[in-house]
């Protein structure tokens, strides 16, 4: 179990480091600046956050994940 966690952490760390690398090999925030200036990214990020809030809210109120009367 510990080995799998270490492998997962390593893979995530590599992905984060690679996300700062440009196609020419330079390191920087250019890709992130471009991403945050893209209106499609901003809209999809906003929709993802709103969906997350809705799902967590419904789960907290017990409205999701409950078996229906037909499933019993």
């Amino acid at each position: 179990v510990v080995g799998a966690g270490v492998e997962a952490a390593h893979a995530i760390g590599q992905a984060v480091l690679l996300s700062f690398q440009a196609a020419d090999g330079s390191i920087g925030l250019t890709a992130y600046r471009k991403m945050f200036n893209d209106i499609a990214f901003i809209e999809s990020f906003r929709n993802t956050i709103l969906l997350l809030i809705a799902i967590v809210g419904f789960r907290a109120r017990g409205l999701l994940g409950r078996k229906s009367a037909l499933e019993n």
Side-chain angles (χ1 to χ4, degrees), residues 13-45:
Q14 272 190 313
V16 169
L17 288 175
L18 286 173
S19 73
F20 289 101
Q21 187 173 0
D24 63 359
S26 64
I27 303 293
L29 296 172
T30 307
Y32 283 98
R33 284 189 194 107
K34 184 177 178 183
M35 181 176 67
F36 284 110
N37 287 324
D38 184 2
I39 190 70
F41 171 77
I42 299 299
E43 288 178 1
S44 63
F45 185 75

